[in-house]
Amino acid sequence: MGTHHKPGDNELIENCWVIIPAYNEAGIIQSTVAQVRSYFPQVVVVDDGSSDATASLARAAGSSVVSHLVNLGQGAALQTGINFALSRQAEYLVTFDADGQHRVEDILEMLAVLRREQLDIALGSRFIGETENMPPQRYVTLKLAILFTNLCYKLKLTDTHNGLRVMHAEAARRINIRFNGMAHASEILEQIANQKMKYVEMPVKILYTDYSIEKGQRIGGSARILWDLFFGWLTR
Amino acid sequence: MIIQIFITVVLLATLGFFLSHRPARGMFRLAIVTTVLFGVYLAWFPAYATQIAEFFGVGRGTDLITYVWILLSIFVFILIYIKFAEQNRLLTLLVRRLALLDANNDGNDPDKND
């Protein structure tokens, strides 16, 4: 991977924290952290009560680690990571999935646009970009989730459950994730809508590897996302 | 006769447990006591349940009790759900605070071995 960005970008990259929520990702966390750290030195893995070696492997790969004593869910892990990054004076915050489905190069693009256009948050979309090997069931679920979310929050998005986001610290301070489970994805969008944040959706490439597909199904998969969405909507 | 005694004992035991373990507030306490005593009364005089049922336009007393029971269950379910969500929220804040404290104290906290 070449570092072909402009010199002025270095400072930007220094002030940027990449947050990786991880639950039992020992199999892949080291390579994900290494990949991110080839561009971004500031990485925090939020170990969400893993029972495997996720935390120590992440630390060995050069990441900061914040460990939940018990498993709370991805939403809770993200909020913990956001709090941590803000306490370290992050200027830009990135949320990045642990399972290796995102590309670090996409962060650079999103950061550049965010800064150039003075926006609050950039959201990754797999439906603008390329996607490889998406399982059909996942496709249907995601489309339903998108329809539901757009209707509820009056947003116009093409992908509502993408883990890759880049936000400015000001926006991060205004986001408060209360749903610990997967419904946090919609919750963030709800807050973007309610607080009239300036957002942009950008194409990102999702790599549906065997690992990420298997993981995706293990953490509840499609039915779970829809249930969380519905329940989240009921109780909000 | 056996079932009446059984129901009475269970209801009164529940009431006793409730009153001794939960410092319930005035109105709530009154409602619980009234409900339990009313339940005991109905166990001994089921015909009265039928009278009430007829008043509400339900055929039989047993049906009325079933309906009330279902409504109460839903109510209790919602209460428990709210309580549970609240506990979960507190647990999250606690775990998060602890995690951040640990992370800020040092980078070399011992790995979890438990």
Side-chain angles (χ1 to χ4, degrees):
Chain A
M1 277 176 257
T3 45
H4 51 267
H5 38 268
K6 300 187 297 286
D9 289 348
N10 282 337
E11 189 191 346
L12 186 65
I13 283 174
E14 286 294 320
N15 296 332
C16 179
W17 274 87
V18 179
I19 300 160
I20 306 178
Y23 177 56
N24 289 342
E25 301 279 9
I28 203 159
I29 194 69
Q30 264 187 309
S31 82
T32 303
V33 168
Q35 196 194 340
V36 172
R37 275 178 46 87
S38 67
Y39 285 95
F40 297 92
Q42 317 271 40
V43 179
V44 56
V45 167
V46 183
D47 163 34
D48 193 17
S50 300
S51 53
D52 63 9
T54 299
S56 52
L57 290 173
R59 199 173 282 123
S63 164
S64 296
V65 174
V66 183
S67 286
H68 285 169
L69 281 173
V70 292
N71 180 246
L72 293 175
Q74 198 181 29
L78 278 177
Q79 184 62 54
T80 300
I82 289 174
N83 291 6
F84 179 82
L86 287 175
S87 77
R88 298 295 157 105
Q89 274 75 49
E91 195 185 345
Y92 290 95
L93 293 80
V94 179
T95 66
F96 197 89
D97 286 356
D99 59 11
Q101 63 168 285
H102 298 312
R103 296 188 320 155
V104 188
E105 292 86 339
D106 288 330
I107 304 177
L108 293 169
E109 285 293 315
M110 292 166 90
L111 260 179
V113 169
L114 202 62
R115 191 161 69 150
R116 191 173 64 231
E117 313 205 347
Q118 304 267 302
L119 302 171
D120 294 313
I121 187 163
L123 306 163
S125 170
R126 79 201 84 189
F127 293 111
I128 307 179
E130 302 164 59
T131 296
E132 285 175 1
N133 307 325
M134 186 187 304
Q137 193 199 359
R138 185 129 281 224
Y139 180 85
V140 173
T141 313
L142 286 167
K143 286 293 185 185
L144 280 174
I146 291 159
L147 186 71
F148 186 87
T149 311
N150 282 344
L151 279 176
C152 276
Y153 309 131
K154 300 181 184 66
L155 294 168
K156 285 197 182 74
L157 295 171
T158 61
D159 189 358
T160 50
H161 280 68
N162 196 302
L164 185 51
R165 310 172 188 86
V166 181
M167 58 191 121
H168 189 262
E170 277 312 310
R173 270 187 208 103
R174 282 150 63 192
I175 284 177
N176 176 22
I177 304 171
R178 289 168 303 122
F179 287 118
N180 287 354
M182 294 306 288
H184 70 270
S186 318
E187 191 184 16
I188 292 174
L189 298 179
E190 182 189 358
Q191 295 183 8
I192 290 174
N194 288 346
Q195 306 191 28
K196 299 189 171 47
M197 291 188 192
K198 286 176 283 180
Y199 69 91
V200 63
E201 206 179 26
M202 291 183 61
V204 300
K205 189 167 173 179
I206 299 284
L207 313 165
Y208 277 93
T209 59
D210 289 347
Y211 184 90
S212 71
I213 291 172
E214 198 249 322
K215 178 79 185 181
Q217 270 147 15
R218 197 152 26 103
I219 58 172
S222 311
R224 183 62 190 275
I225 290 184
L226 292 178
W227 167 251
D228 268 0
L229 263 177
F230 179 65
F231 217 72
W233 173 76
L234 273 184
T235 55
R236 85 195 152 98
Chain B
M1 183 72 170
I2 297 171
I3 190 68
Q4 277 91 344
I5 294 172
F6 182 69
I7 291 175
T8 306
V9 169
V10 170
L11 281 178
L12 290 181
T14 310
L15 183 65
F17 178 82
F18 181 82
L19 291 181
S20 59
H21 282 78
R22 282 194 59 120
R25 289 178 298 265
M27 285 308 286
F28 191 51
R29 197 183 182 95
L30 189 67
I32 297 283
V33 175
T34 314
T35 308
V36 170
L37 293 183
F38 191 59
V40 173
Y41 180 77
L42 287 186
W44 289 93
F45 306 100
Y48 186 56
T50 304
Q51 276 181 8
I52 305 172
E54 277 165 3
F55 175 79
F56 283 107
V58 183
R60 296 178 307 166
T62 42
D63 291 340
L64 178 72
I65 288 175
T66 310
Y67 297 150
V68 171
W69 186 12
I70 291 171
L71 288 180
L72 280 179
S73 304
I74 293 174
F75 178 68
V76 168
F77 173 78
I78 292 173
L79 273 188
I80 290 175
Y81 176 79
I82 291 173
K83 195 77 190 165
F84 179 75
E86 205 176 285
Q87 292 293 320
N88 208 26
R89 177 86 201 121
L90 293 175
L91 178 72
T92 300
L93 293 177
L94 191 67
V95 168
R96 176 170 300 138
R97 172 65 68 88
L98 210 57
L100 290 171
L101 275 177
D102 267 357
N104 285 329
N105 271 345
D106 52 23
N108 55 7
D109 52 338
D111 291 326
K112 267 192 328 191
N113 291 322
D114 45 322

